Amino acid sequence: MRDYIKDNEDMTGSSFDERSTDTPVYYLVDFIKEIKKCSIVDISATNQSSTDIHINCTSSKAMEDFLKSIISNEFQQKLFDLRRWLQVQHDIESYDIMANCSSNGIEKAKQRLHFTGVTRSLNCAEHQNTQCTLYCPDHDTFLCTACRESKHGTCLGIKQVISERSYVEQKRHLNIKSIKGSYNVKIDNTLINRDNNDQYECGITGMCMLPNSKVLLADSMNNRLKTLNSLYKVVSHCDVRKSPYSVCYIGNDTAVAGLRGNTIQYVNILGNINLTQLEKLDHVCYDLACHGDTLYVSSKNTIYKYDKNCKQKQVLYHNPKIIYSPKIAVSDNGERIYLGLRTDLTTIDAKGNHLDDSSQIDDYNTLLHNICDICIAGEGIVLVLKQKILKNNVHQLDYNGKKLQAVDNITLDILFLRSICFDRERCRLIVGSGEDKIHVYKCEFLPS
Ligand SMILES: [Zn+2]
Ligand SMILES: [Zn+2]
């Protein structure tokens, strides 16, 4: 490869295309050049034994195709040829020539996307509420952990494309670029449709993203669920029996709301929001989170696991010391569940093992700082909304639930904040308050 570089000072120029050789090195590079919407912009030697090939992909689809290509059998065959050729022709043992979707490479590529202000995350085709962290070469598809268990049990060579390590190593944080705006979510047409007006000041205690950057709100003061369009205008609402404390999108145009007491209300969010079935549980349901086919429900000192139809109940985690039902969030790979316990965050794994007893988020007196909500921003970053008198902070924690080093809190000078969610498509932080408003911030991911 080094020799190749010596002969080709201008990798991107025409000399590159005009060359005609038949060594496996060229086959390999030619293969990359054939991938649509991907182009080699630079090839450079980084040190004595390695070479960087810089490739630009003009769209996230192109990036996906590229990643699929380099772990395809055809590419692997070309690598095998290269290794054999080096061994036979040059007597070089070259076990370290291999291709895989290294998490580092993916992250570098994703970082480029972030700096253009777009956060791309790959939702599972089967589970629209769940991120893909795996790739199956047999089916040539990206998938989530739930899919691996249910549909790819016999597939060989499933690769982890986003690993725990990549979460921890990438060391990025979220930065607020600007406020996009504050939006009124109170339904008040006074004369037009008097029966539909919100009676009380809104209390947005739960929020979640829906497909196409729409937002679902739980207004616990008016016992209503509301959907906002991508311009944050209330476009639909429905009344529920009791205060909704939390909402969660579970895929297939369906969302669930945890109502005060022990019921879970299902709603269809396609077009106008519509109530569907109501499920009664035998315990309180405070917060909800969904990953793959699993619905997590927090209830006082216990975290339950259900399927998406509220069947197959299992106790995931029980801790008699917990007094208040925790807010919960699940990491993208489904391996970490974060519990907001009053003032601190506890992390458990997918089997319910206690991983981290109590990550002290604040250094100072924590008694005044209650965790109101938790959400996952992507990139392994966990956002925790903490409320204190006259000031609210959004803390950023890493995948392990540890405070990101040297990253200031995002301080929001808004009273009565209740809930947060993160729009990954548009890289925006949305905050729900108790004052008829939601507040939207444009964000970007920066290296820490
Ligand atoms: Zn899936
Ligand atoms: Zn498969």
Side-chain angles (χ1 to χ4, degrees):
M1 188 64 86
R2 277 209 308 279
D3 291 344
Y4 173 87
I5 291 165
K6 249 184 255 161
D7 294 347
N8 290 269
E9 286 302 342
D10 182 11
M11 285 310 128
T12 55
S14 56
S15 61
F16 187 80
D17 292 317
E18 282 160 11
R19 283 192 78 85
S20 163
T21 60
D22 56 359
T23 64
V25 176
Y26 288 78
Y27 289 144
L28 207 78
V29 177
D30 284 346
F31 180 88
I32 297 171
K33 283 172 59 195
E34 288 299 321
I35 303 168
K36 280 195 186 115
K37 291 189 175 174
C38 293
S39 57
I40 296 174
V41 291
D42 191 23
I43 299 180
S44 57
T46 50
N47 55 43
Q48 277 298 307
S49 61
S50 80
T51 304
D52 269 358
I53 305 179
H54 291 250
I55 297 155
N56 272 3
C57 303
T58 53
S59 70
S60 52
K61 172 78 170 68
M63 194 166 90
E64 186 183 330
D65 290 346
F66 170 73
L67 295 175
K68 282 180 181 172
S69 298
I70 65 157
I71 47 182
S72 69
N73 289 335
E74 205 189 337
F75 193 78
Q76 296 294 333
Q77 182 62 45
K78 292 203 163 25
L79 280 180
F80 178 78
D81 292 343
L82 174 62
R83 259 182 253 142
R84 203 175 46 185
W85 175 75
L86 287 171
Q87 196 171 0
V88 173
Q89 298 287 325
H90 300 279
D91 206 18
I92 299 169
E93 291 286 351
S94 51
Y95 300 109
D96 57 346
I97 295 180
M98 50 194 157
N100 55 40
C101 271
S102 88
S103 53
N104 195 22
I106 293 173
E107 291 314 319
K108 270 187 184 162
K110 279 172 82 182
Q111 208 165 353
R112 277 181 176 274
L113 291 175
H114 289 311
F115 286 118
T116 63
V118 183
T119 311
R120 289 281 163 220
S121 49
L122 195 57
N123 269 316
C124 174
E126 288 288 314
H127 306 93
Q128 298 138 17
N129 54 320
T130 304
Q131 303 296 311
C132 293
T133 52
L134 304 164
Y135 173 79
C136 172
D138 287 7
H139 288 91
D140 189 22
T141 185
F142 289 96
L143 57 138
C144 75
T145 45
C147 281
R148 168 155 66 183
E149 280 169 32
S150 62
K151 295 201 168 146
H152 301 263
T154 56
C155 297
L156 296 174
I158 291 185
K159 293 181 171 75
Q160 190 150 42
V161 289
I162 299 174
S163 65
E164 296 190 11
R165 235 178 95 223
S166 64
Y167 285 142
V168 174
E169 282 179 357
Q170 62 196 343
K171 292 201 174 60
R172 274 210 298 284
H173 73 279
L174 198 65
N175 180 50
I176 289 193
K177 278 196 329 202
S178 60
I179 180 154
K180 171 87 176 71
S182 296
Y183 301 84
N184 199 332
V185 293
K186 184 171 177 137
I187 300 173
D188 187 9
N189 307 310
T190 317
L191 294 171
I192 304 166
N193 213 340
R194 204 174 301 177
D195 293 344
N196 278 336
N197 287 346
D198 283 338
Q199 255 190 294
Y200 306 102
E201 187 167 74
C202 304
I204 309 303
T205 42
M207 287 194 292
C208 71
M209 293 309 300
L210 300 174
N212 305 319
S213 290
K214 292 178 186 157
V215 189
L216 178 63
L217 306 181
D219 181 347
S220 60
M221 291 305 288
N222 292 294
N223 289 7
R224 278 185 164 166
L225 303 177
K226 298 170 179 176
T227 52
L228 309 181
N229 66 12
S230 57
L231 303 170
Y232 311 110
K233 186 178 182 314
V234 180
V235 286
S236 171
H237 73 269
C238 66
D239 292 348
V240 290
R241 293 180 180 202
K242 289 182 174 170
S243 278
Y245 284 157
S246 54
V247 279
C248 173
Y249 181 64
I250 62 171
N252 294 323
D253 300 316
T254 305
V256 287
L259 307 186
R260 183 165 58 85
N262 57 353
T263 39
I264 291 187
Q265 176 70 59
Y266 284 70
V267 289
N268 184 288
I269 51 98
L270 191 68
N272 283 340
I273 183 169
N274 281 309
L275 300 181
T276 54
Q277 78 264 32
L278 192 72
E279 295 289 339
K280 262 199 186 318
L281 308 181
D282 59 6
H283 55 80
V284 165
C285 44
Y286 180 62
D287 200 13
L288 304 165
C290 184
H291 184 277
D293 291 316
T294 306
L295 185 66
Y296 297 87
V297 183
S298 80
S299 175
K300 289 182 179 164
N301 48 27
T302 308
I303 307 297
Y304 294 94
K305 249 173 92 166
Y306 288 89
D307 65 16
K308 285 203 273 193
N309 299 308
C310 285
K311 302 285 182 288
Q312 299 182 349
K313 174 183 159 187
Q314 285 176 50
V315 172
L316 177 69
Y317 175 75
H318 175 77
N319 182 350
K321 285 183 197 156
I322 299 175
I323 308 166
Y324 298 95
S325 295
K327 281 281 179 179
I328 49 174
V330 183
S331 67
D332 285 345
N333 63 2
E335 298 293 323
R336 293 276 185 282
I337 295 111
Y338 307 100
L339 315 179
L341 300 174
R342 201 100 205 276
T343 56
D344 293 313
L345 194 90
T346 283
T347 309
I348 60 175
D349 70 13
K351 296 195 173 73
N353 299 311
H354 205 145
L355 297 177
D356 202 344
D357 207 20
S358 179
S359 325
Q360 288 274 321
I361 300 172
D362 292 328
D363 304 328
Y364 40 91
N365 184 2
T366 56
L367 288 173
L368 297 168
H369 311 242
N370 283 326
I371 292 178
C372 305
D373 208 359
I374 310 175
C375 78
I376 308 291
E379 316 301 312
I381 295 175
V382 187
L383 299 179
V384 178
L385 175 65
K386 286 193 111 186
Q387 194 178 44
K388 61 178 181 173
I389 299 161
L390 298 179
K391 215 175 202 181
N392 299 280
N393 286 326
V394 178
H395 297 254
Q396 302 189 39
L397 309 184
D398 70 9
Y399 173 77
N400 290 317
K402 299 286 181 212
K403 195 178 167 190
L404 284 183
Q405 289 301 312
V407 173
D408 288 338
N409 302 326
I410 298 170
T411 302
L412 305 170
D413 289 318
I414 299 162
L415 295 174
F416 313 123
L417 291 187
R418 308 293 285 276
S419 50
I420 44 172
C421 72
F422 195 78
D423 178 350
R424 298 188 187 202
E425 281 292 318
R426 299 193 288 182
C427 204
R428 291 176 185 176
L429 175 68
I430 306 173
V431 188
S433 75
E435 304 172 297
D436 293 339
K437 283 199 172 79
I438 60 155
H439 310 273
V440 181
Y441 300 87
K442 289 185 187 172
C443 300
E444 62 189 342
F445 285 92
L446 295 177
S448 284

